[in-house]
């Protein structure tokens, strides 16, 4: 149920907020890993205290940076992109069953299901952590499949280069996603974070 996913997402965000602080570069990966571990514990505690949300889970993309270094984390099919010198490059890989098999295209009926997500359990649900060097002018996009699953990559690229202000870009990305979801009431709503080297801006639409 989407309601369980919403509870899981906001529980995760609340648990991560205390880690949104200055960190020295050599401690970025450790700090982000600890943050996600604590967030997973928060999910487990929430589910244990409220039977109505038992079995809830969520995907995650997160970023922690210091100076010109950043650590990115992802679990599930939410995505991270970097725009540099006009080129939009993915920094994450979807954790879906199709990527677990080398010959997935030849397997009939393989479901497009998420193979890894956060639900409070530790077995097989740890995030991918990637360290990247940033350059002045880089633009970063972290988003759920409420955007990447419905708006094609070229359209996302065009919006990312359409303005200088990340807040304006974020609004345009949300509008592009809503243009699709408005015709599909059961579609996922997007969570979007856009940042550059001068002005980070995130947009998580109210549900």
């Amino acid at each position: 149920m989407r309601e369980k996913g919403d509870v899981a997402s906001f529980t995760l965000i609340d648990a991560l907020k205390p880690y949104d602080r200055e960190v020295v570069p050599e401690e970025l990966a450790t700090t982000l890993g600890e943050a996600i571990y604590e967030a997973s514990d928060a999910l487990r505690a929430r589910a244990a205290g409220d039977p109505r949300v038992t079995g809830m889970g969520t995907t995650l993309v997160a970023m922690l940076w210091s100076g010109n270094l950043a650590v990115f984390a992802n679990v599930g099919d939410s995505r991270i992109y970097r725009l540099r010198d006009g080129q939009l490059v993915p920094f994450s890989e979807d954790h879906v069953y199709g990527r677990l098999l080398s010959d997935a295209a030849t397997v009939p009926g393989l479901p497009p299901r998420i193979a890894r997500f956060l639900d409070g359990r530790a077995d097989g649900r740890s995030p991918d952590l990637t360290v990247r060097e940033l350059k002045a002018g880089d633009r970063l996009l972290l988003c759920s499949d409420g955007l990447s699953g419905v708006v094609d990559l070229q359209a996302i690229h065009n919006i990312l280069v359409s303005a200088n202000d990340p807040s304006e870009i974020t609004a345009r990305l949300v509008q592009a996603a809503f243009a699709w979801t408005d015709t599909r009431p059961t579609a996922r709503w997007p969570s979007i974070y856009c940042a550059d080297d001068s002005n980070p801006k995130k947009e998580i639409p109210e549900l």
Side-chain angles (χ1 to χ4, degrees), residues 3-177:
E3 291 79 5
K4 290 185 179 181
D6 295 342
V7 172
S9 295
F10 286 112
T11 299
L12 198 72
I13 291 169
D14 286 342
L16 291 173
K17 284 179 180 178
Y19 292 89
D20 185 12
R21 51 182 169 78
E22 292 290 332
V23 177
V24 295
E26 57 268 23
E27 294 180 4
L28 286 171
T30 299
T31 302
L32 187 54
E34 290 176 352
I36 295 170
Y37 181 85
E38 292 293 331
S40 184
D41 275 354
L43 287 178
R44 180 165 55 252
R46 180 65 184 269
D50 187 351
R52 294 173 299 176
V53 294
T54 298
M56 68 177 181
T58 183
T59 64
L60 167 73
V61 284
M63 173 179 63
L64 190 63
W65 77 88
S66 178
N68 67 336
L69 286 181
V71 173
F72 299 91
N74 75 287
V75 181
D77 61 353
S78 292
R79 294 184 180 177
I80 306 164
Y81 296 97
R82 184 200 66 197
L83 179 69
R84 175 182 290 177
D85 299 329
Q87 300 296 316
L88 189 60
V89 177
F91 272 5
S92 59
E93 181 176 283
D94 291 351
H95 297 145
V96 294
Y97 284 108
R99 291 191 175 273
L100 297 178
L101 303 174
S102 59
D103 56 349
T106 67
V107 180
L110 186 67
R113 293 177 57 191
I114 298 174
R116 202 193 313 175
F117 51 91
L118 292 175
D119 62 355
R121 291 180 289 177
D123 53 317
R125 291 167 174 81
S126 59
D128 291 345
L129 294 176
T130 306
V131 179
R132 300 279 185 172
E133 185 173 350
L134 304 179
K135 291 174 58 179
D138 283 352
R139 178 154 287 168
L140 303 167
L141 172 65
L142 284 69
C143 64
S144 68
D145 65 343
L147 175 70
S148 61
V150 300
V151 180
D152 68 68
L153 195 60
Q154 185 60 53
I156 291 174
H157 174 277
N158 293 343
I159 294 172
L160 286 173
V161 300
S162 67
N164 292 323
D165 183 2
S167 62
E168 184 177 346
I169 291 172
T170 300
R172 294 179 184 181
L173 290 169
V174 171
Q175 290 172 358

